[in-house]
Amino acid sequence: MSGLINAIGGVIWGAPMLTFFLFVGIWFTLKSRFFQIRGAKKIFNTTVKTLFKKQEDTENGISQFGAFCSVLAACIGTGNIVGVATAIYSGGPGSVFWMCISAFISMMTAYSENYLGIKYRFRNKYEKISGGAFQYIEKGLNMKGLAKVYAVFCLLSTLGMGNMAQANSVSASLKSGFNVPTYITAIVAVVICFFVIRKGVKGISRLSEFIVPLMTVSYLLLSFGVLFIFKDRIMPTICLIFKEAFSLKALSGFGMFKAMRYGISRGVFSNEAGLGSSTIIHSETDNTTPENQGIWAMFEVFCDTVLLCSIMALVILVSGSFIPDGELYGAELSVASYGVLGEFGKKGIAILTAVFSFASLTGCSFYGEKSAEYLFTHRAIKPYKALYLILALIGCIVSPQIIWSIADIFNGLMAVPNLFALFILRKEVEFPKHKTHLK
């Protein structure tokens, strides 16, 4: 079964899919005239500057900061701490380079899909916001059938990637760091998750606003501690990453295509750009514009992958815990990398992985909730949440390799209709103009 799943994943994430992702991202990058670079000041003013201003949820939606934290919570834990480890394990050190390149390009993909998500959102007859990729596929392309196909893939992706993979990371990290039995973790995680997701997006937003900033700072401090110890290895490691990213047959036995395949796919898993999933939460933001929300989405991709994933990758590689074809995989590899700090490091990263992954578990639940609602109306929400909790319980115990392979498949299938819609609707996406001093 594992071999079959890996074979299917290899086909879905083959050269055509990688090319499609890069093509769409490059097209929007060129159309925006590299807004990632030329718009750095505007991105900073729109995001970082406003972080110090008090933002609160409104009666009709959540704040921009709440949406930002919720989307980061949905991907930052497993995508960064565990996803980077699986990328290096499967694609070698060179995968880190392609992860960052794909993230830089995907910043404009994230901008574009969230621009359209806000543009096409509306309030339904229940006075709830209906937005996200479903709506711009249905109303923008006038293809309701394709929108339903996307919703099915999003639902399956949520149950696989957003649910079981996240739940497994919670249990694996706690077992590795504290030897907590998986069934104990499963029961506690599911009970707490129930009380969070029952309140919907506002409950998820409030939890994320508390967890994400605190855990991110702790994660950076722990990582810088490891990098300081091995500061002499940092430059050689960076050189190794570049060398293996372009090697046809890397010394570690991976090669350029494997590095690209796992770097790009894990990058997508980490920041979700191109999947359209982040548009579901961003559409819940009140008092915003398509342009501003698109910029927030860009900032998420930068923070999540270009910054945090790169730091995680350096920690794994400089610590020497990564061995090609070694036994350490996923959360266990991440925990071992911080072992140079002694028990404090192992237990610290285990706690961070567990908390981040739990935040992801709750955040991703909203993607599936809106997908189920779109497919089967609001009556499907309660049955969906029950199924989500049951699968989270199972996910804490099932083999992580199989879960990650299934997650890859669902992510790839989900991306196809979304990227197709983005490209067809490309003329509707407007980018901030470059200001001049000409009168």
Side-chain angles (χ1 to χ4, degrees):
M1 178 63 71
S2 179
L4 176 62
I5 291 172
N6 286 330
I8 295 172
V11 171
I12 292 176
W13 280 105
M17 176 63 78
L18 300 183
T19 303
F20 196 14
F21 260 99
L22 293 176
F23 172 75
V24 172
I26 290 171
W27 198 94
F28 282 115
T29 295
L30 295 176
K31 183 184 177 183
S32 69
R33 294 185 295 119
F34 288 88
F35 182 67
Q36 306 102 308
I37 299 173
R38 70 173 180 84
K41 183 177 179 181
K42 185 171 181 61
I43 295 171
F44 178 84
N45 290 338
T46 303
T47 57
V48 178
K49 255 190 170 181
T50 61
L51 292 178
F52 302 100
K53 297 178 181 178
K54 188 176 181 181
Q55 298 185 41
E56 295 181 353
D57 296 345
T58 64
E59 184 178 347
N60 298 319
I62 59 177
S63 67
Q64 289 180 320
F65 181 64
F68 168 75
C69 289
S70 298
V71 173
L72 277 184
C75 54
I76 197 173
T78 303
N80 291 69
I81 299 174
V82 183
V84 174
T86 60
I88 294 174
Y89 179 90
S90 303
S95 62
V96 180
F97 172 83
W98 293 109
M99 183 181 289
C100 291
I101 291 297
S102 69
F104 174 78
I105 294 170
S106 296
M107 286 173 70
M108 296 318 304
T109 307
Y111 173 95
S112 303
E113 61 190 4
N114 279 283
Y115 183 99
L116 292 172
I118 297 295
K119 180 177 180 179
Y120 280 97
R121 70 175 179 174
F122 67 97
R123 291 197 175 275
N124 58 29
K125 60 182 180 181
Y126 303 105
E127 288 301 312
K128 285 188 174 183
I129 294 175
S130 290
F134 323 114
Q135 301 305 333
Y136 59 72
I137 293 175
E138 177 184 341
K139 301 185 182 304
L141 298 183
N142 195 26
M143 299 176 69
K144 189 170 184 176
L146 185 62
K148 287 185 176 293
V149 169
Y150 172 84
V152 170
F153 290 153
C154 184
L155 182 60
L156 294 175
S157 176
T158 299
L159 296 176
M161 176 269 285
N163 184 330
M164 299 183 74
Q166 310 289 357
N168 192 272
S169 292
V170 175
S171 62
S173 57
L174 290 179
K175 184 170 181 59
S176 178
F178 299 90
N179 200 30
V180 178
T182 53
Y183 73 92
I184 296 292
T185 302
I187 294 171
V188 174
V190 167
V191 170
I192 299 175
C193 184
F194 166 75
F195 285 106
V196 175
I197 68 175
R198 67 193 290 264
K199 296 180 180 179
V201 69
K202 288 191 176 182
I204 295 168
S205 173
R206 292 191 187 102
L207 176 70
S208 301
E209 286 181 21
F210 172 74
I211 286 180
V212 170
L214 178 63
M215 293 296 103
T216 299
V217 172
S218 302
Y219 164 69
L220 289 174
L221 290 174
L222 205 61
S223 299
F224 289 149
V226 177
L227 294 177
F228 179 77
I229 293 174
F230 296 105
K231 54 184 179 293
D232 294 338
R233 298 184 186 179
I234 294 177
M235 284 310 299
T237 298
I238 293 174
C239 292
L240 176 66
I241 289 172
F242 277 90
K243 182 179 179 181
E244 297 214 359
F246 296 98
S247 174
L248 294 180
K249 188 174 182 180
L251 295 175
S252 57
F254 294 96
M256 180 177 174
F257 182 75
K258 258 194 171 182
M260 290 183 68
R261 181 255 191 268
Y262 287 99
I264 295 175
S265 65
R266 291 295 184 259
V268 170
F269 183 91
S270 171
N271 58 57
E272 301 180 0
L275 301 185
S277 53
S278 67
T279 65
I280 297 172
I281 287 183
H282 277 292
S283 294
E284 299 289 321
T285 307
D286 204 17
N287 300 324
T288 189
T289 64
E291 180 183 293
N292 279 357
Q293 217 53 41
I295 290 175
W296 272 99
M298 290 177 65
F299 185 56
E300 286 157 9
V301 174
F302 175 81
C303 290
D304 180 80
T305 307
V306 178
L307 180 61
L308 298 180
C309 280
S310 298
I311 292 173
M312 184 72 236
L314 283 175
V315 167
I316 292 173
L317 293 173
V318 302
S319 67
S321 58
F322 166 68
I323 301 173
D325 298 322
E327 295 181 359
L328 295 179
Y329 180 86
E332 293 180 352
L333 177 57
S334 299
V335 171
S337 300
Y338 288 86
V340 296
L341 297 176
E343 285 300 306
F344 173 78
K346 284 186 177 182
K347 294 186 184 303
I349 196 62
I351 292 174
L352 286 172
T353 304
V355 175
F356 269 140
S357 298
F358 178 76
S360 300
L361 180 66
T362 59
C364 287
S365 70
F366 191 68
Y367 299 158
E369 177 182 328
K370 298 301 285 188
S371 300
E373 182 182 27
Y374 181 81
L375 289 168
F376 309 112
T377 74
H378 70 284
R379 290 190 294 270
I381 293 178
K382 287 185 178 180
Y384 158 77
K385 288 182 178 180
L387 175 63
Y388 193 85
L389 294 171
I390 291 171
L391 291 180
L393 192 72
I394 297 172
C396 287
I397 304 168
V398 176
S399 172
Q401 284 89 343
I402 294 177
I403 293 176
W404 281 93
S405 298
I406 293 173
D408 264 354
I409 292 172
F410 290 151
N411 277 349
L413 293 173
M414 181 180 168
V416 174
N418 183 61
L419 292 174
F420 171 75
L422 289 180
F423 187 70
I424 299 300
L425 298 172
R426 63 191 183 277
K427 293 183 179 179
E428 295 189 25
V429 179
E430 297 180 2
F431 300 95
K433 298 286 190 299
H434 181 66
K435 294 181 179 180
T436 66
H437 297 289
L438 296 177
K439 294 183 179 179

